[in-house]
Amino acid sequence: MKNYSLNELREMYLKFFESKNHLRAKSFPLVPQNDNSLLLINAGMAPLKPYFTGQDEPPRRRMTTCQKCIRTGDIENVGKTARHGTFFEMLGNFSFGDYFKEDAIKWAWEFVTEHLELPVERLFVTVYQDDEEAAEIWHKQVGLPKEKIFYMGKEDNFWEAGIDGPCGPCSEIYFDRGEEFGCGEPGCTVGCDCDRYMEFWNLVFTQFERHEDGTYTPLDQKNIDTGMGLERLAAMMQGVGSIFDVDTIKAIRDHVCQIAGVEYGKEHKKDVSIRVITDHIRSVTFMAADGVLPSNEGRGYVMRRLLRRAVRHGKLLGIEGLFLQDLVKTVVENSKHEYTELEDKYEYLVKLLTVEEKNFNETIDRGLNILKKHMEEMKANGETVLNGKACFTLSDTYGFPIDLTREILEEQGFSADEEGYTKEMEIQRETARTARGGSKYMGADETIFNQMDAAMHTTFVGYDQLEIETTLEIIANDDALLDVASSGDEIYVVVSETPFYAEMGGQAGDKGMIETATGKLEVSDTTKVVGGKYAHHAKVVEGSVEKGQKATFKVDSSIRMDVARNHSATHLLQKALRDVVGTHIEQAGSNVNKDRLRFDFTHFESLTHEQIAQVEALVNEKILEGLVIETKEMPIDEARKLGATALFGEKYGNTVRVVDMSGYSIELCGGTHLQNTAAIGTFKIISEAGVAAGVRRIEAVTGRGAIHYYQSMEENLNEITALVKAKKADVVKRVEAMASELKETHKENEKLKAEIAQSKAGALTEQVEEIAGIKVLVSQVDGLGMNDLKNMGDSLKDQLQNGVVVLLSHAEGKVNLVAMATNSAVEKGAHCGQIISQTAAAVGGKGGGRPNMAQAGGKDANNITEAISVAKDAIIKQLQA
């Protein structure tokens, strides 16, 4: 057998199916589009679902891809075995109502025997037990002996997803790796659980529709969906026993060993950590390149979990300091040929993963401190099991896997409530599932647009035309397709050609008017729906309209111009941010409408006032320069050579639209723009803030929006000058003087309050009681906020020297509670956290804290007398125990 590299195998496969008239498409991003059923793409066919169901028209009836995939169902086994991984590449060839079983089987056999040159005597196939058609093709047309064809049941050789949708039998190709990989048991053959017979290519024949009642009917459009794991194929072709021995993955594995100063294959425990890091760094690098950011929910949580797991295993190997950034380079070097986004985003990938690694290094220390406090409290309360919620919080918030928590607890003679932990984890998973919505085959809710002709799509002609004549081809409401709509009706209008821009790429949809001979419609929005159709959200404001009528579509040019100002300014803003702040800046989302622009970008700290001022000045400078804005369509490779910036996670075709602002800003963009930056008028940043971990947001206005903003600021200034009785030129000095006066007044007020509190504290000492040799003071002092109450408590505790203080205060409609104890009182059994918990309950509140200090809030001031009694009883029980 020839030894091909992983990258060679990928190219061989894709070129082979290109020769069979398949459209070769780049991998789709790992983030699913319009699919609520998935967090991350987990199979080659997943991004192609609309083509299989007929809801969308494929670019060609035959396609082939190598799809990036993430699966985390077996994450706990990753590292423990040599075959489990979370990231993999899936080779696939697909037919959408074109060829079927005969061609799929013949081409698969041709590729494995003539191109890969696998020895025929070591190849076997399986078919579904009722699929005689596939068995006959393998035997009579391919020439495979019957003894090499194995019939399998539904569990093994029938593919279906969910309770309804397209499904069908499948046929799998197996390779005999040799007796040395077998179990040695008599009758060991295809289907045995041992590693001898390896399934490496699955051909799915989608020919049925499954219904919710469990019945099946033949599909009008029969499809082919095949999948072959590239890493598994490479392991087989390279004659290695594990995906971690495949050339591109081995390069990462070897780099891990080099950083850790360990040798692979010498010690199982270390090998587990090496494999975990090797697999997980591939996953998080590809996820980051597709715009996924670490977070505590959804796909961000998956990424954070993988990254933290890698870091923890680095610590187990003895790696000190930050190490992920070094491994990113190896991942990129081995995969950049096919996945150019890795090289394009390299600086950003390093920055993102390094920041997250730093954060986790800090978090892990905080988590250890929290776990120590839990153990202290358990010891004080005579408990031996850490509750499930605490275990889950350590995992969810501080990245402590349950096994690490268990290990640390056991060292101190404690254990973990793993059943409670599992329940908490299931609650979170159920919440995530609910948030994603239902999981029908398409993973998205069906709407009226799914009932429209799948072959019809809308062509946008509005770059150059704002008014055209066309025909009303489809009108509908939320419930049905319509023939007629009358005055007051709110409907959707779909046509084959429109000047209205549909909301996408962050740009708001166009508004305007549609007129026919019998009626007028006001378009409030335009959106892109299934099948490449544009839906005009319209209300009949005059007369009535009918399907098939001639109509004039007219975009509101004033709104379009305002939107274009904000969109073109957004391009200048992104370039200015990269110039001023750093080239790691990437767009993480945007929204432009007629009123303002919003731009989300990847950065890991707030911008300084100086940076914001510099960015704003640079954008305005480019506006004043009057840069010519040109839009061109060109091959994507040519656009990359120009240095065009692409949007994270966006799937681009071979031909792209480039917006070039005189060479200063060059971006791939399908939106509408000005012809010259001077038309923006002016640009003003109105806010900069964080919106998620590693993501900042700038909001800004341009043109008319900026003028309105400046007018509003002028009005505010006029009001301020009137209030402070100063001229505009002197208003800052006047406000500074007033602020200084207020600060001095506040200081004097605090001083007086402290003196009053000290006086009251002195009077309270007369209420001190003695219990078991400890001085105890429980009293009500109304009108004090929490800070003042704590200050008084500190003063009283110092005066008692050996005692417990509990203070309750009715202030501003609520009850504040504080408990404090000296060290000597704590040694005698006093525990403020328990005292305050019981006391707060009496006034309808909750609270807790440490043995020496606790605080709480309550709602029911009528029960303060009862609460005082509860506090005294609690103290007596503690001190006399």
Side-chain angles (χ1 to χ4, degrees):
M1 287 171 55
K2 291 185 178 178
N3 186 331
Y4 293 107
S5 72
L6 180 140
N7 289 323
E8 286 175 329
L9 288 167
R10 184 196 302 112
E11 190 64 21
M12 286 171 66
Y13 180 90
L14 295 173
K15 279 188 173 178
F16 173 78
F17 280 100
E18 274 190 297
S19 74
K20 304 298 183 185
N21 297 317
H22 286 62
L23 172 66
R24 173 174 174 169
K26 295 283 286 182
S27 172
F28 289 79
L30 282 165
V31 178
Q33 304 297 312
N34 301 317
D35 189 344
N36 298 328
S37 66
L38 296 173
L39 281 178
L40 295 157
I41 294 298
N42 61 1
M45 61 76 61
L48 308 175
K49 287 179 183 178
Y51 304 150
F52 282 112
T53 61
Q55 289 184 6
D56 212 343
E57 190 74 14
R60 197 182 295 176
R61 291 289 167 184
R62 300 177 181 184
M63 287 181 68
T64 184
T65 63
C66 182
Q67 176 62 45
K68 301 173 283 190
C69 300
I70 297 275
R71 289 182 188 171
T72 57
D74 288 328
I75 189 172
E76 298 301 334
N77 288 321
V78 174
K80 295 177 182 176
T81 73
R83 58 189 177 88
H84 282 94
T86 57
F87 176 84
F88 63 97
E89 299 177 58
M90 182 69 81
L91 298 166
N93 57 284
F94 310 96
S95 166
F96 312 110
D98 186 12
Y99 64 87
F100 200 49
K101 290 182 187 177
E102 183 176 337
D103 286 328
I105 289 171
K106 284 182 175 179
W107 290 336
W109 191 251
E110 180 184 344
F111 182 71
V112 298
T113 58
E114 297 180 24
H115 292 260
L116 297 181
E117 299 182 45
L118 291 175
V120 175
E121 64 273 13
R122 296 173 70 177
L123 293 172
F124 300 82
V125 301
T126 62
V127 296
Y128 177 52
Q129 60 191 13
D130 297 334
D131 192 3
E132 286 297 337
E133 181 186 5
E136 287 292 297
I137 295 170
W138 280 116
H139 177 55
K140 292 186 177 178
Q141 298 191 42
V142 172
L144 208 59
K146 286 188 176 181
E147 60 269 21
K148 286 204 162 202
I149 303 170
F150 292 77
Y151 290 83
M152 296 288 191
K154 192 172 184 179
E155 185 177 335
D156 295 306
N157 277 62
F158 194 94
W159 180 88
E160 54 190 350
I163 58 173
D164 62 353
C167 58
C170 58
S171 180
E172 298 176 325
I173 307 176
Y174 283 75
F175 180 74
D176 180 1
R177 303 172 72 194
E179 290 184 8
E180 64 272 24
F181 290 94
C183 58
E185 295 292 325
C188 174
T189 187
V190 172
C192 183
D193 289 334
C194 71
D195 292 332
R196 176 171 178 176
Y197 296 93
M198 183 170 78
E199 178 267 312
F200 67 94
W201 199 349
N202 188 12
L203 316 178
V204 179
F205 313 126
T206 312
Q207 62 189 90
F208 300 113
E209 176 87 19
R210 177 190 163 105
H211 304 283
E212 291 190 17
D213 62 2
T215 60
Y216 298 84
T217 54
L219 281 172
D220 293 332
Q221 174 183 295
K222 294 179 172 60
N223 305 312
I224 289 295
D225 160 25
T226 85
M228 176 160 56
L230 178 57
E231 292 84 354
R232 182 177 287 196
L233 175 64
M236 190 174 82
M237 296 303 299
Q238 293 173 21
V240 296
S242 159
I243 60 171
F244 294 96
D245 298 315
V246 169
D247 61 322
T248 55
I249 304 173
K250 181 178 179 294
I252 304 167
R253 188 198 80 191
D254 290 347
H255 196 172
V256 174
C257 292
Q258 177 193 334
I259 293 171
V262 297
E263 188 176 347
Y264 186 69
K266 294 293 184 182
E267 185 181 330
H268 175 70
K269 197 171 182 181
K270 289 183 177 177
D271 287 351
V272 168
S273 293
I274 293 166
R275 288 193 287 262
V276 166
I277 298 168
T278 300
D279 170 76
H280 290 4
I281 191 61
R282 292 180 81 212
S283 293
V284 297
T285 300
F286 275 90
M287 290 170 75
D290 280 345
V292 181
L293 288 162
S295 70
N296 284 336
E297 58 185 17
R299 60 185 65 94
Y301 178 72
V302 174
M303 182 179 185
R304 175 162 283 170
R305 187 180 179 198
L306 293 172
L307 191 146
R308 291 183 168 187
R309 200 165 184 257
V311 173
R312 188 173 76 85
H313 278 275
K315 290 184 179 295
L316 292 177
L317 287 176
I319 299 175
E320 295 182 2
L322 305 173
F323 68 94
L324 294 184
Q325 59 186 16
D326 296 329
L327 296 175
V328 171
K329 187 171 185 180
T330 306
V331 175
V332 173
E333 284 299 318
N334 281 277
S335 300
K336 66 182 182 182
H337 173 72
E338 179 67 18
Y339 304 106
T340 53
E341 65 272 18
L342 295 176
E343 191 167 37
D344 294 342
K345 312 293 183 190
Y346 175 70
E347 184 180 342
Y348 165 74
L349 299 177
V350 169
K351 180 78 173 175
L352 171 66
L353 299 184
T354 300
V355 167
E356 182 67 12
E357 185 179 4
K358 280 181 180 176
N359 289 343
F360 182 49
N361 283 339
E362 295 171 5
T363 302
I364 209 167
D365 292 333
R366 289 203 300 272
L368 279 170
N369 289 332
I370 287 171
L371 186 50
K372 285 176 184 175
K373 287 178 182 176
H374 280 312
M375 290 189 287
E376 287 172 4
E377 290 182 9
M378 288 162 64
K379 190 173 182 179
N381 297 332
E383 299 169 351
T384 59
V385 181
L386 182 62
N387 67 74
K389 190 165 187 177
C391 292
F392 176 74
T393 301
L394 282 165
S395 169
D396 188 49
T397 306
Y398 298 99
F400 270 52
I402 186 65
D403 55 344
L404 180 60
T405 299
R406 184 198 313 122
E407 184 180 322
I408 296 170
L409 287 170
E410 287 176 351
E411 288 173 1
Q412 302 298 320
F414 299 108
S415 61
D417 174 15
E418 297 193 43
E419 185 177 337
Y421 166 83
T422 303
K423 286 180 181 176
E424 293 289 336
M425 180 66 78
E426 188 52 41
I427 290 170
Q428 186 196 64
R429 285 175 179 157
E430 183 58 37
T431 303
R433 280 194 290 268
T434 303
R436 289 204 299 277
S439 59
K440 282 183 171 288
Y441 178 71
M442 262 304 294
D445 293 334
E446 289 198 359
T447 66
I448 191 63
F449 304 112
N450 298 106
Q451 298 178 29
M452 298 177 184
D453 182 4
M456 178 195 172
H457 69 277
T458 305
T459 300
F460 175 63
V461 297
Y463 289 128
D464 306 308
Q465 304 176 71
L466 295 183
E467 182 176 339
I468 68 165
E469 299 290 327
T470 187
T471 302
L472 299 183
E473 296 173 66
I474 299 175
I475 58 177
N477 58 26
D478 286 327
D479 303 313
L481 300 175
L482 306 173
D483 290 324
V484 180
S486 303
S487 182
D489 289 349
E490 295 187 3
I491 61 172
Y492 304 111
V493 176
V494 180
V495 291
S496 295
E497 192 175 78
T498 182
F500 283 75
Y501 184 86
E503 180 184 355
M504 61 186 131
Q507 178 176 328
D510 277 333
K511 304 176 189 292
M513 298 295 294
I514 299 173
E515 293 188 27
T516 72
T518 59
K520 289 183 181 180
L521 300 98
E522 186 176 294
V523 179
S524 59
D525 197 5
T526 311
T527 58
K528 191 173 182 181
V529 295
V530 296
K533 301 175 183 66
Y534 285 21
H536 303 77
H537 302 237
K539 182 176 182 178
V540 184
V541 293
E542 187 179 308
S544 63
V545 296
E546 293 183 26
K547 177 182 175 183
Q549 272 188 312
K550 293 291 182 184
T552 301
F553 280 56
K554 187 175 181 180
V555 174
D556 187 318
S557 59
S558 175
I559 293 176
R560 168 72 79 84
M561 189 67 174
D562 286 338
V563 173
R565 286 189 181 98
N566 284 325
H567 200 161
S568 294
T570 301
H571 284 220
L572 292 178
L573 172 60
Q574 177 166 355
K575 183 61 169 64
L577 281 166
R578 290 173 68 88
D579 287 348
V580 172
V581 183
T583 55
H584 66 277
I585 295 287
E586 295 287 351
Q587 181 174 338
S590 70
N591 183 281
V592 293
N593 57 36
K594 68 182 181 64
D595 299 314
R596 55 111 183 96
L597 67 91
R598 190 184 75 208
F599 184 75
D600 294 349
F601 59 99
T602 54
H603 189 54
F604 308 95
E605 58 189 2
S606 58
L607 300 189
T608 64
H609 293 302
E610 291 78 11
Q611 286 175 321
I612 293 172
Q614 283 180 280
V615 168
E616 187 179 282
L618 184 52
V619 172
N620 279 308
E621 181 183 318
K622 296 305 173 183
I623 291 171
L624 292 172
E625 286 179 14
L627 303 179
V628 174
I629 301 174
E630 292 183 288
T631 56
K632 312 170 196 172
E633 288 196 348
M634 63 181 69
I636 191 165
D637 291 338
E638 186 179 329
R640 283 202 176 95
K641 288 176 185 174
L642 287 175
T645 303
L647 183 63
F648 253 148
E650 188 73 19
K651 172 69 178 173
Y652 294 101
N654 292 325
T655 301
V656 293
R657 186 168 181 266
V658 177
V659 178
D660 184 349
M661 299 184 176
S662 299
Y664 175 70
S665 166
I666 307 174
E667 289 192 37
L668 306 185
C669 181
T672 61
H673 286 274
L674 305 168
Q675 295 180 330
N676 191 293
T677 60
I680 296 172
T682 187
F683 171 85
K684 177 63 185 174
I685 293 175
I686 56 176
S687 69
E688 189 275 343
V691 291
V695 179
R696 309 291 301 175
R697 172 174 293 170
I698 281 178
E699 295 200 22
V701 287
T702 68
R704 279 195 289 243
I707 292 171
H708 293 155
Y709 175 79
Y710 291 132
Q711 288 172 339
S712 175
M713 290 299 101
E714 179 80 8
E715 289 170 9
N716 289 340
L717 181 58
N718 289 337
E719 287 184 25
I720 292 169
T721 57
L723 287 170
V724 301
K725 296 180 174 60
K727 296 178 181 178
K728 287 183 183 178
D730 301 327
V731 72
V732 174
K733 288 181 181 178
R734 177 64 184 134
V735 170
E736 285 177 346
M738 292 175 71
S740 180
E741 291 169 13
L742 189 61
K743 189 176 180 181
E744 287 301 314
T745 302
H746 180 71
K747 280 183 182 178
E748 290 175 13
N749 190 33
E750 289 298 309
K751 184 179 178 183
L752 285 171
K753 283 168 69 177
E755 289 173 357
I756 292 169
Q758 189 72 26
S759 174
K760 286 183 178 180
L764 288 176
T765 55
E766 297 174 7
Q767 302 176 26
V768 172
E769 302 176 41
E770 190 166 310
I771 300 170
I774 299 295
K775 295 175 182 177
V776 176
L777 173 60
V778 182
S779 186
Q780 177 179 355
V781 190
D782 289 340
L784 296 184
M786 186 62 77
N787 284 338
D788 293 331
L789 202 62
K790 286 194 287 187
N791 289 336
M792 180 178 283
D794 280 330
S795 175
L796 287 166
K797 185 181 72 169
D798 291 342
Q799 290 180 51
L800 296 184
Q801 295 183 345
N802 175 32
V804 179
V805 177
V806 179
L807 300 177
L808 301 89
S809 178
H810 180 206
E812 297 180 357
K814 62 181 181 179
V815 182
N816 298 315
L817 304 92
V818 166
M820 295 182 177
T822 61
N823 290 337
S824 55
V826 172
E827 289 171 5
K828 285 286 186 76
H831 193 294
C832 291
Q834 295 171 10
I835 295 168
I836 213 74
S837 178
Q838 296 173 44
T839 307
V843 288
K846 289 182 179 180
R850 304 186 304 275
N852 64 343
M853 191 275 175
Q855 66 184 59
K859 305 172 187 173
D860 191 355
N862 293 325
N863 284 344
I864 288 181
T865 302
E866 181 186 339
I868 290 173
S869 177
V870 169
K872 287 182 178 178
D873 288 344
I875 296 169
I876 290 169
K877 286 178 182 177
Q878 288 180 351
L879 297 178
Q880 293 182 346

